[in-house]
């Protein structure tokens, strides 16, 4: 891992779980594999704190464990999963996607599971039903069956999956003593036969509204009753987690559809959406193409409200195939023509457009023109760059050297003679898209880290004011619940002075701007990561 990724992982762990978990996680990232005793010794933390931190990381799928180099008889070793830590950047996108696809119920289900790492179906249904009931008008409640239905749809579309069963020490230690594994990774969830099989749970009733009870014994009785109920639901030991890969496939498809819609029109985007939806089950995550679909199949699967006639569909498919972006390709002529979505080419074009946009924003439109020219022509001499780009020699030289110093453009020497004499050597400028994408990805990690640090700093500097605002909001909520008079509410609201209110508004504006910037940079990170992974898989 690079230094920027380590820094970003540490900031994410600190923001979500606190300093102790961040300390343990960062040591695991830098050292690779450690035992519990070694981890406690290096972090200089109490053994109990290290255990609790590891439990948190394991609960959220960010840490794995297994027999170490000495085999099953030796101490257990722990290994961090940095990829899952970086996924915390996309938690808001996961939740928003679940809301847009499955409504408020789907949103709360995904939010609860992300907050707790893994949950049983019964506990998820009860928690979500209680939260929805609490926000409903008095006298209304959410039925458990409605939440179960939303949970089932999330599992059927593979957005949720069962946690893989834990391998026993005996099964993990069957390897030869000559090549002991450093860490035994848990089995892949997809390889488990019951990965998407819903258990039968005996759950009926409605969500309960949270009430402020003065009697603590009543709360204890309710907690005991909840424990008793959860033990009778029939899904004990079956935990569910969010399937990040499925969300990433959805993000990738949405990016491709959006690009096609912007390049051509909405109808073209809908045709590509239909092709992606038809092949999402039969196409593997790392495939360069979707499964071939005939024009007849695409025509039958199109939404009826679009009213696209068959000749019009053929024209659109021909237009998509002939487009220079090559998002759609033709794989045969049977069934009116066989068509595929070129996933790798689409991601490469999206990454290319991202690189061009970055160069234009940082160095201006003329530098972007040179960058696009080198991407298209592959190799050019300086004089050719000046002529093709129609830029004066002095300006073109300055822009090329600026891009070269930022490692966005590379210089390749091709000598005519073995002595490499400058007068007998061709100096060609070129752009290697994959290394440039990796370079930009590291810049994005650094930018997100800076945004998180800035947000944490702003929150820390205004901690007293934020706590005061939260206390007053809690008092107002309790007064409104008890039916207090308007004068009482006004008196409480006036506890925050006008300058403090203005400072709070300014702080919220800054925090919202930082959050929005973080989400936008994460979209760029996702596109670049998808392109890099797709390129590595296609080789």
């Amino acid at each position: 891992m690079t230094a920027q990724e380590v820094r970003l992982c540490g900031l994410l762990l600190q923001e979500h779980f606190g300093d102790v978990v961040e300390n343990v996680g960062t040591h695991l990232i830098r050292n690779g594999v450690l035992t519990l005793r070694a981890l406690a010794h290096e972090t200089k933390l109490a053994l109990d704190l290290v255990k609790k931190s590891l439990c948190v990381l394991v609960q959220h799928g960010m840490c794995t464990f297994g027999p170490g180099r000495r085999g099953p008889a030796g101490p257990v070793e722990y290994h961090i999963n940095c990829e899952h830590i970086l996924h915390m950047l996309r938690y808001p996108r996961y939740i928003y996607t679940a809301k847009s696809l499955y409504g408020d119920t789907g949103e709360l289900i995904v939010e609860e599971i992300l907050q707790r790492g893994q949950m049983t179906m019964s506990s998820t249904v009860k928690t979500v039903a209680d939260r929805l009931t609490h926000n409903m008008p008095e006298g209304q409640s959410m039925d458990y069956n409605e939440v179960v239905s939303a949970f089932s749809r999330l599992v059927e579309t593979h957005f949720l999956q069962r946690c893989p069963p834990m391998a026993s020490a005996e099964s993990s230690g069957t390897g030869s003593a000559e090549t002991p594994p450093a860490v035994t990774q848990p089995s892949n969830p997809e390889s488990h036969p019951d990965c998407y099989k819903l258990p039968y749970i005996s759950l009926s009733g409605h969500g309960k509204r949270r009430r402020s009870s003065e009697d603590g014994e009543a709360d204890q009785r309710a907690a005991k009753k909840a424990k008793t109920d959860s033990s009778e639901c029939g899904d004990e030991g079956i935990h569910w987690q969010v399937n990040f890969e499925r969300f990433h496939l959805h993000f990738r498809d949405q990016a491709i559809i959006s690009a096609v819609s912007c390049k051509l029109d909405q109808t073209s985007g809908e045709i590509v959406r239909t092709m992606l939806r038809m092949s999402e089950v039969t196409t593997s995550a790392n495939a360069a193409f979707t499964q071939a679909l005939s024009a007849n199949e695409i025509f039958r699967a199109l939404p009826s409200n679009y009213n696209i006639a068959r000749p019009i569909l053929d024209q659109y498919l021909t237009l998509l195939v002939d487009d220079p972006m090559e998002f759609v390709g033709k794989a045969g002529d049977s069934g009116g023509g066989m068509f595929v979505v070129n996933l790798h080419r689409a991601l490469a074009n999206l990454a290319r457009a991202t690189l061009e946009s970055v160069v234009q924003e940082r160095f201006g439109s003329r530098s972007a023109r040179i960058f696009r020219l080198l991407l298209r022509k592959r190799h050019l001499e300086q004089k050719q760059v000046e002529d093709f780009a129609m830029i004066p020699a002095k300006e073109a030289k300055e822009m090329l050297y600026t891009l070269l110093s930022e490692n966005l453009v590379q210089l390749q020497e091709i000598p005519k003679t073995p002595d490499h004499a400058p007068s007998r050597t061709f100096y060609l400028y070129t752009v290697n898209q994959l290394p440039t994408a990796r370079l930009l990805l590291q810049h994005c990690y650094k930018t997100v880290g800076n945004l998180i640090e800035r947000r944490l700093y702003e929150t820390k500097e205004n901690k007293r004011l934020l706590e005061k605002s939260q206390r007053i909001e809690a008092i107002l909520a309790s007064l409104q619940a008890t039916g207090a008079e308007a004068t009482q509410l006004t008196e409480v609201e006036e506890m925050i002075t006008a300058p403090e209110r203005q400072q709070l508004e300014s702080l919220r504006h800054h925090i919202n701007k930082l959050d929005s910037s973080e989400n936008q940079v994460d979209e760029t990170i996702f596109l670049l990561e998808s392109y890099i992974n797709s390129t590595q898989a296609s080789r």
Side-chain angles (χ1 to χ4, degrees):
M1 288 196 72
T2 63
Q4 296 301 334
E5 288 176 278
V6 173
R7 170 175 171 254
L8 180 56
C9 287
L11 287 169
L12 289 169
L13 289 174
Q14 180 183 5
E15 185 179 18
H16 285 79
F17 305 118
D19 294 334
V20 178
V21 176
E22 183 267 332
N23 193 357
V24 172
T26 304
H27 270 81
L28 278 174
I29 292 172
R30 288 177 176 157
N31 292 278
V33 179
L34 287 174
T35 63
L36 177 62
R37 293 288 178 184
L39 197 52
H41 175 72
E42 291 193 11
T43 57
K44 296 180 174 58
L45 294 171
L47 197 62
D48 188 48
L49 283 177
V50 177
K51 286 181 181 179
K52 290 178 180 177
S53 301
L54 289 171
C55 284
V56 170
L57 292 172
V58 171
Q59 173 79 8
H60 286 81
M62 299 171 187
C63 182
T64 58
F65 60 90
R69 297 174 180 83
R70 299 180 187 176
V76 172
E77 292 186 342
Y78 296 87
H79 179 266
I80 201 79
N81 189 338
C82 300
E83 188 177 354
H84 278 203
I85 297 176
L86 294 176
H87 287 167
M88 285 193 286
L89 277 174
R90 296 194 189 112
Y91 279 9
R93 289 185 72 187
Y94 298 146
I95 295 170
Y96 177 75
T97 301
K99 180 181 177 65
S100 61
L101 293 176
Y102 301 102
D104 293 340
T105 309
E107 174 195 8
L108 292 181
I109 290 172
V110 172
E111 182 183 343
E112 284 293 329
I113 296 178
L114 284 175
Q115 283 183 347
R116 306 192 190 190
Q118 49 186 259
M119 294 177 70
T120 62
M121 182 178 177
S122 57
S123 61
T124 306
V125 169
K126 291 177 182 177
T127 305
V128 170
D130 291 346
R131 287 184 62 182
L132 288 169
T133 301
H134 184 71
N135 294 324
M136 285 181 172
E138 194 70 32
Q140 297 182 15
S141 61
M142 173 60 67
D143 192 348
Y144 284 161
N145 290 330
E146 294 184 34
V147 184
V148 169
S149 176
F151 193 100
S152 303
R153 291 199 302 273
L154 282 164
V155 174
E156 287 169 5
T157 49
H158 294 187
F159 286 107
L160 297 179
Q161 62 183 190
R162 284 195 188 190
C163 297
M166 194 61 62
S168 62
E170 292 78 6
S171 61
S172 61
T174 53
S176 62
E178 297 177 359
T179 57
V183 167
T184 302
Q185 301 284 351
S187 59
N188 186 14
E190 299 285 347
S191 63
H192 192 244
D194 296 331
C195 181
Y196 301 108
K197 183 180 178 182
L198 282 166
Y200 174 76
I201 58 173
S202 55
L203 197 62
S204 61
H206 297 268
K208 298 175 180 59
R209 196 178 300 272
R210 296 193 300 269
R211 300 186 185 277
S212 55
S213 174
E214 296 179 357
D215 188 6
E217 295 180 0
D219 293 338
Q220 292 178 4
R221 285 197 299 269
K224 289 180 180 178
K225 187 175 184 298
K227 289 182 180 179
T228 307
D229 292 344
S230 65
S231 64
E232 298 172 355
C233 291
D235 64 341
E236 298 78 27
I238 302 175
H239 291 83
W240 296 86
Q241 63 186 5
V242 172
N243 185 3
F244 298 116
E245 291 301 322
R246 179 67 184 87
F247 275 101
H248 293 167
L249 293 179
H250 178 78
F251 296 157
R252 180 201 66 187
D253 293 349
Q254 290 301 114
I256 293 173
I257 293 164
S258 176
V260 173
S261 299
C262 292
K263 181 75 164 50
L264 300 174
D265 63 359
Q266 196 67 32
T267 306
S268 302
E270 192 60 39
I271 292 171
V272 173
R273 184 197 304 274
T274 303
M275 295 175 67
L276 289 169
R277 189 178 67 246
M278 293 171 67
S279 58
E280 65 183 359
V281 178
T282 56
T283 304
S284 63
N286 297 321
F289 302 89
T290 61
Q291 292 292 322
L293 299 167
S294 69
N296 295 330
E297 292 174 323
I298 298 171
F299 179 70
R300 287 193 295 268
L302 280 171
S304 57
N305 58 339
Y306 265 79
N307 296 323
I308 301 176
R310 178 57 195 274
I312 302 296
L313 174 63
D314 291 338
Q315 292 177 13
Y316 268 108
L317 288 172
T318 304
L319 180 66
L320 286 166
V321 170
D322 294 339
D323 188 78
M325 301 292 281
E326 299 179 7
F327 278 37
V328 175
K330 194 168 185 179
D333 296 319
S334 59
M338 302 294 289
F339 299 90
V340 297
V341 178
N342 192 338
L343 300 173
H344 174 64
R345 174 64 64 183
L347 290 172
N349 281 322
L350 290 173
R352 177 174 175 169
T354 302
L355 295 176
E356 292 174 2
S357 175
V358 169
V359 172
Q360 180 165 341
E361 291 298 322
R362 288 187 62 189
F363 305 105
S365 58
R366 288 193 167 191
S367 295
R369 190 193 308 172
I370 292 174
F371 190 80
R372 280 193 294 269
L373 183 66
L374 291 174
L375 277 171
R376 183 174 299 173
K377 299 291 187 179
R378 302 286 183 178
H379 296 86
L380 289 175
E381 291 184 286
Q382 183 174 316
K383 183 68 171 64
Q384 292 175 309
V385 171
E386 298 165 6
D387 295 340
F388 285 134
M390 294 182 289
I391 297 175
K394 183 179 178 180
E395 292 182 23
K397 184 186 295 185
E398 183 180 350
M399 292 172 186
L400 279 171
Y401 289 174
T402 302
L403 293 173
L404 190 64
S405 65
E406 295 288 336
N407 292 323
L408 295 169
V409 168
Q410 290 77 38
L411 185 62
Q412 186 173 353
E413 299 180 6
I414 302 179
K416 295 180 185 177
T417 56
D419 59 355
H420 289 262
S423 60
R424 293 184 293 276
T425 301
F426 293 111
Y427 293 94
L428 303 179
Y429 289 94
T430 184
V431 174
N432 295 327
Q433 186 168 323
L434 185 61
T436 308
R438 288 197 177 102
L439 176 69
L440 180 58
L441 182 62
Q442 296 305 315
H443 285 313
C444 290
Y445 286 143
K446 181 179 179 180
T447 302
V448 173
N450 292 342
L451 290 170
I452 294 174
E453 280 190 339
R454 183 65 188 180
R455 187 174 67 248
L456 293 175
Y457 172 79
E458 292 278 356
T459 307
K460 184 179 178 182
E461 286 293 305
N462 298 274
K463 184 178 180 182
R464 183 197 61 80
L465 185 59
L466 288 171
E467 289 176 348
K468 180 180 179 181
S469 173
Q470 289 172 356
R471 284 197 304 270
I472 292 175
E473 287 176 1
I475 294 170
L476 284 172
S478 62
L479 288 175
Q480 289 172 352
T482 56
E485 296 179 358
T487 54
Q488 287 181 298
L489 298 177
T490 306
E491 287 177 3
V492 173
E493 288 175 353
E494 289 175 352
M495 291 172 66
I496 296 182
T497 62
E500 286 178 335
R501 199 177 300 279
Q502 186 177 1
Q503 187 179 351
L504 270 175
E505 288 297 323
S506 176
L507 175 63
R508 283 167 184 157
H509 174 71
H510 289 155
I511 296 296
N512 290 337
K513 201 170 183 179
L514 290 170
D515 287 338
S516 175
S517 301
E518 187 180 325
N519 290 332
Q520 289 175 357
V521 177
D522 180 61
E523 290 181 13
T524 304
I525 289 175
F526 173 74
L527 274 180
L528 295 175
E529 284 180 345
S530 300
Y531 163 64
I532 292 169
N533 295 334
S534 175
T535 305
Q536 292 173 344
S538 62
R539 286 181 174 177

